[in-house]
Coordinates of all heavy atoms in Angstrom, one line a residue:
Chain H
F6 N -24.6 -18.0 29.0 CA -25.4 -17.5 27.8 C -26.7 -16.9 28.3 O -27.5 -17.6 29.0 CB -25.7 -18.7 26.9 CG -26.4 -18.3 25.6 CD1 -25.8 -17.4 24.7 CD2 -27.7 -18.7 25.3 CE1 -26.4 -17.0 23.5 CE2 -28.3 -18.3 24.1 CZ -27.7 -17.5 23.2
E7 N -26.9 -15.7 28.0 CA -28.1 -15.0 28.4 C -28.4 -13.8 27.5 O -27.5 -13.1 27.1 CB -27.8 -14.4 29.9 CG -29.1 -14.3 30.7 CD -28.8 -13.6 32.0 OE1 -27.7 -13.7 32.6 OE2 -29.7 -13.0 32.5
N8 N -29.7 -13.7 27.1 CA -30.1 -12.6 26.2 C -29.3 -12.5 25.0 O -28.8 -11.4 24.6 CB -30.1 -11.2 26.9 CG -31.0 -11.2 28.1 OD1 -32.1 -11.8 28.1 ND2 -30.6 -10.5 29.2
N9 N -29.0 -13.6 24.4 CA -28.2 -13.7 23.1 C -26.7 -13.3 23.3 O -26.1 -12.9 22.3 CB -28.8 -12.8 22.1 CG -29.8 -13.6 21.2 OD1 -29.5 -14.7 20.9 ND2 -30.9 -13.0 20.8
I10 N -26.3 -13.2 24.6 CA -24.9 -12.8 24.8 C -24.2 -14.0 25.4 O -24.6 -14.6 26.4 CB -24.8 -11.6 25.8 CG1 -25.4 -10.4 25.2 CG2 -23.4 -11.4 26.2 CD1 -25.5 -9.2 26.1
L11 N -23.1 -14.4 24.7 CA -22.3 -15.5 25.2 C -21.1 -14.9 25.9 O -20.3 -14.2 25.3 CB -21.9 -16.5 24.1 CG -20.9 -17.6 24.4 CD1 -21.6 -18.6 25.4 CD2 -20.5 -18.3 23.1
T12 N -20.9 -15.2 27.2 CA -19.7 -14.8 27.9 C -18.8 -15.9 28.2 O -19.2 -16.9 28.8 CB -20.1 -14.0 29.2 OG1 -21.0 -13.0 28.9 CG2 -18.8 -13.4 29.8
A13 N -17.5 -15.8 27.8 CA -16.5 -16.9 28.1 C -15.5 -16.3 29.1 O -14.8 -15.3 28.8 CB -15.8 -17.3 26.8
Y14 N -15.5 -16.8 30.3 CA -14.6 -16.4 31.3 C -13.3 -17.3 31.2 O -13.4 -18.5 31.5 CB -15.2 -16.6 32.7 CG -16.4 -15.7 32.9 CD1 -17.7 -16.2 32.7 CD2 -16.3 -14.4 33.4 CE1 -18.8 -15.5 32.9 CE2 -17.4 -13.6 33.6 CZ -18.7 -14.2 33.3 OH -19.8 -13.4 33.5
I15 N -12.2 -16.7 30.7 CA -11.0 -17.5 30.5 C -10.2 -17.5 31.8 O -10.0 -16.4 32.4 CB -10.2 -17.0 29.3 CG1 -11.0 -16.9 28.1 CG2 -8.9 -17.8 29.1 CD1 -10.4 -16.2 26.9
D16 N -9.7 -18.7 32.2 CA -9.1 -18.8 33.5 C -7.7 -19.4 33.3 O -7.6 -20.3 32.6 CB -10.0 -19.7 34.4 CG -9.6 -19.6 35.8 OD1 -9.3 -18.5 36.3 OD2 -9.6 -20.7 36.5
G17 N -6.7 -18.8 33.9 CA -5.3 -19.4 33.9 C -4.5 -18.9 32.8 O -4.5 -17.7 32.5
E18 N -3.7 -19.7 32.2 CA -2.6 -19.3 31.3 C -3.0 -19.5 29.8 O -3.6 -20.5 29.5 CB -1.3 -20.0 31.6 CG -0.9 -19.9 33.0 CD 0.6 -20.3 33.2 OE1 1.0 -21.3 32.6 OE2 1.2 -19.6 34.0
I19 N -2.8 -18.5 29.0 CA -3.0 -18.6 27.5 C -1.7 -18.7 26.8 O -0.9 -17.8 26.8 CB -3.8 -17.4 27.0 CG1 -5.1 -17.2 27.7 CG2 -4.1 -17.7 25.5 CD1 -6.0 -16.0 27.2
D20 N -1.4 -19.9 26.3 CA -0.3 -20.1 25.4 C -0.7 -20.9 24.2 O -1.9 -21.1 24.0 CB 0.9 -20.7 26.1 CG 0.6 -22.1 26.6 OD1 -0.4 -22.7 26.3 OD2 1.4 -22.6 27.5
H21 N 0.2 -21.3 23.3 CA -0.2 -22.0 22.1 C -0.9 -23.3 22.4 O -1.8 -23.7 21.7 CB 1.2 -22.2 21.3 CG 1.1 -23.3 20.4 ND1 1.8 -24.5 20.5 CD2 0.5 -23.4 19.2 CE1 1.6 -25.3 19.5 NE2 0.8 -24.7 18.7
D22 N -0.5 -23.9 23.5 CA -1.1 -25.2 23.9 C -2.6 -25.0 24.4 O -3.5 -25.6 23.9 CB -0.2 -25.8 25.1 CG -0.7 -27.1 25.5 OD1 -1.0 -28.0 24.6 OD2 -0.9 -27.4 26.7
T23 N -2.7 -24.1 25.4 CA -4.1 -23.9 26.0 C -5.0 -23.2 25.0 O -6.2 -23.4 25.0 CB -4.0 -23.2 27.3 OG1 -3.5 -21.9 27.1 CG2 -3.2 -23.9 28.3
A24 N -4.5 -22.3 24.2 CA -5.3 -21.5 23.3 C -6.1 -22.4 22.3 O -7.3 -22.2 22.0 CB -4.5 -20.5 22.4
A25 N -5.5 -23.5 21.9 CA -6.1 -24.4 21.0 C -7.3 -25.1 21.7 O -8.4 -25.2 21.1 CB -5.1 -25.5 20.6
K26 N -7.2 -25.4 23.0 CA -8.3 -26.0 23.7 C -9.4 -25.0 24.0 O -10.6 -25.3 23.9 CB -7.8 -26.6 25.0 CG -6.8 -27.7 24.8 CD -6.0 -28.1 26.0 CE -4.9 -29.1 25.7 NZ -3.8 -29.1 26.7
I27 N -9.0 -23.8 24.4 CA -10.0 -22.7 24.7 C -10.8 -22.4 23.4 O -12.0 -22.3 23.4 CB -9.3 -21.5 25.2 CG1 -8.6 -21.8 26.5 CG2 -10.2 -20.3 25.3 CD1 -7.6 -20.7 27.0
R28 N -10.1 -22.3 22.3 CA -10.7 -22.0 21.0 C -11.8 -23.0 20.6 O -12.9 -22.7 20.2 CB -9.6 -22.0 20.0 CG -10.0 -22.0 18.5 CD -8.8 -21.8 17.7 NE -8.1 -23.0 17.3 CZ -6.9 -23.1 16.8 NH1 -6.2 -22.0 16.7 NH2 -6.4 -24.3 16.5
T29 N -11.4 -24.3 20.8 CA -12.4 -25.4 20.4 C -13.7 -25.3 21.3 O -14.8 -25.4 20.7 CB -11.7 -26.8 20.7 OG1 -10.5 -26.8 20.0 CG2 -12.6 -27.9 20.2
R30 N -13.5 -25.0 22.5 CA -14.7 -24.9 23.4 C -15.5 -23.7 23.1 O -16.7 -23.7 23.1 CB -14.2 -24.9 24.9 CG -13.7 -26.3 25.2 CD -13.6 -26.6 26.7 NE -14.7 -26.1 27.5 CZ -14.7 -25.8 28.8 NH1 -13.5 -26.0 29.5 NH2 -15.7 -25.4 29.4
I31 N -14.9 -22.5 22.9 CA -15.6 -21.3 22.6 C -16.4 -21.4 21.3 O -17.5 -21.1 21.2 CB -14.7 -20.1 22.6 CG1 -14.2 -19.8 24.0 CG2 -15.5 -18.8 22.1 CD1 -13.2 -18.6 24.0
D32 N -15.7 -21.9 20.3 CA -16.3 -22.1 19.0 C -17.4 -23.1 19.0 O -18.4 -22.8 18.3 CB -15.2 -22.5 17.9 CG -14.3 -21.3 17.6 OD1 -14.5 -20.2 18.1 OD2 -13.3 -21.5 16.8
G33 N -17.3 -24.1 19.7 CA -18.4 -25.1 19.9 C -19.6 -24.4 20.4 O -20.7 -24.6 19.9
A34 N -19.4 -23.7 21.5 CA -20.6 -23.0 22.1 C -21.2 -21.9 21.2 O -22.4 -21.8 21.0 CB -20.1 -22.3 23.4
A35 N -20.3 -21.2 20.5 CA -20.8 -20.1 19.6 C -21.5 -20.7 18.4 O -22.5 -20.1 18.0 CB -19.6 -19.2 19.1
Q36 N -21.0 -21.8 17.9 CA -21.7 -22.4 16.7 C -23.1 -22.9 17.1 O -24.0 -22.8 16.3 CB -20.9 -23.7 16.2 CG -19.5 -23.4 15.8 CD -19.4 -22.9 14.4 OE1 -20.0 -23.4 13.6 NE2 -18.5 -22.0 14.2
S37 N -23.3 -23.4 18.3 CA -24.6 -24.0 18.6 C -25.5 -22.9 19.1 O -26.7 -22.9 18.9 CB -24.5 -25.2 19.6 OG -23.9 -24.7 20.7
L38 N -25.0 -21.9 19.8 CA -25.9 -20.9 20.4 C -26.1 -19.7 19.5 O -27.0 -18.9 19.7 CB -25.3 -20.4 21.8 CG -25.2 -21.5 22.8 CD1 -24.3 -21.0 24.0 CD2 -26.5 -21.9 23.4
K39 N -25.2 -19.5 18.5 CA -25.3 -18.3 17.6 C -25.6 -17.0 18.4 O -26.6 -16.3 18.1 CB -26.4 -18.5 16.6 CG -26.2 -19.8 15.7 CD -25.5 -19.4 14.4 CE -25.4 -20.5 13.4 NZ -24.7 -21.8 13.9
P40 N -24.7 -16.6 19.3 CA -24.9 -15.4 20.0 C -24.8 -14.1 19.2 O -24.1 -14.2 18.2 CB -23.8 -15.4 21.1 CG -22.7 -16.2 20.5 CD -23.4 -17.2 19.6
K41 N -25.4 -13.1 19.6 CA -25.3 -11.8 18.9 C -23.9 -11.2 19.3 O -23.3 -10.5 18.5 CB -26.4 -10.8 19.3 CG -27.7 -11.2 18.7 CD -27.9 -10.3 17.4 CE -29.2 -10.7 16.7 NZ -29.0 -11.9 15.8
V42 N -23.6 -11.4 20.6 CA -22.3 -10.8 21.1 C -21.6 -11.9 21.9 O -22.2 -12.7 22.7 CB -22.5 -9.6 22.1 CG1 -21.2 -9.0 22.4 CG2 -23.5 -8.6 21.5
L43 N -20.3 -12.0 21.6 CA -19.4 -12.9 22.4 C -18.5 -12.1 23.2 O -17.8 -11.2 22.7 CB -18.6 -13.8 21.5 CG -17.4 -14.6 22.1 CD1 -17.9 -15.6 23.1 CD2 -16.5 -15.3 21.1
Y44 N -18.6 -12.2 24.5 CA -17.7 -11.5 25.4 C -16.5 -12.5 25.8 O -16.8 -13.6 26.3 CB -18.4 -11.1 26.7 CG -19.1 -9.7 26.6 CD1 -20.4 -9.7 26.2 CD2 -18.4 -8.5 26.8 CE1 -21.1 -8.4 26.0 CE2 -19.0 -7.3 26.6 CZ -20.3 -7.3 26.3 OH -21.0 -6.1 26.1
L45 N -15.3 -12.1 25.7 CA -14.2 -12.8 26.2 C -13.7 -12.1 27.5 O -13.2 -10.9 27.4 CB -13.0 -12.9 25.2 CG -13.3 -13.6 23.9 CD1 -12.0 -13.6 23.1 CD2 -13.7 -15.0 24.1
D46 N -13.9 -12.7 28.6 CA -13.5 -12.0 29.9 C -12.2 -12.5 30.3 O -12.0 -13.7 30.6 CB -14.6 -12.3 30.9 CG -14.4 -11.5 32.2 OD1 -13.2 -11.5 32.7 OD2 -15.3 -10.8 32.7
F47 N -11.2 -11.6 30.4 CA -9.8 -11.9 30.7 C -9.4 -11.8 32.2 O -8.3 -11.9 32.5 CB -8.9 -11.1 29.8 CG -8.5 -11.7 28.5 CD1 -9.5 -11.8 27.5 CD2 -7.2 -12.1 28.2 CE1 -9.2 -12.4 26.3 CE2 -6.9 -12.6 26.9 CZ -7.9 -12.7 26.0
S48 N -10.4 -11.5 33.0 CA -10.1 -11.2 34.4 C -9.4 -12.3 35.1 O -8.6 -12.1 36.0 CB -11.3 -10.7 35.2 OG -12.3 -11.7 35.1
G49 N -9.6 -13.6 34.7 CA -9.0 -14.7 35.4 C -7.7 -15.2 34.7 O -7.1 -16.2 35.0
V50 N -7.2 -14.4 33.7 CA -6.0 -14.8 33.0 C -4.7 -14.4 33.8 O -4.5 -13.2 34.0 CB -6.0 -14.2 31.6 CG1 -4.7 -14.6 30.8 CG2 -7.2 -14.7 30.8
S51 N -3.9 -15.4 34.1 CA -2.7 -15.1 34.9 C -1.4 -14.9 34.0 O -0.4 -14.4 34.4 CB -2.5 -16.2 35.9 OG -2.4 -17.5 35.2
F52 N -1.5 -15.5 32.8 CA -0.3 -15.4 31.9 C -0.9 -15.4 30.5 O -1.8 -16.1 30.2 CB 0.7 -16.5 32.1 CG 1.7 -16.6 31.0 CD1 2.9 -15.8 31.2 CD2 1.5 -17.4 29.9 CE1 3.9 -15.9 30.2 CE2 2.5 -17.4 28.9 CZ 3.7 -16.7 29.0

Side-chain angles (χ1 to χ4, degrees):
Chain H
F6 185 64
E7 211 185 328
N8 298 327
N9 267 324
I10 295 172
L11 175 64
T12 307
Y14 299 92
I15 305 170
D16 194 41
E18 305 196 321
I19 304 178
D20 61 14
H21 159 249
D22 183 48
T23 61
K26 297 165 187 161
I27 295 167
R28 167 172 87 195
T29 307
R30 289 193 46 199
I31 294 176
D32 286 357
Q36 302 275 321
S37 60
L38 299 166
K39 301 265 186 303
K41 285 261 174 283
V42 189
L43 166 65
Y44 274 94
L45 298 180
D46 188 310
F47 272 65
S48 52
V50 177
S51 55
F52 170 87

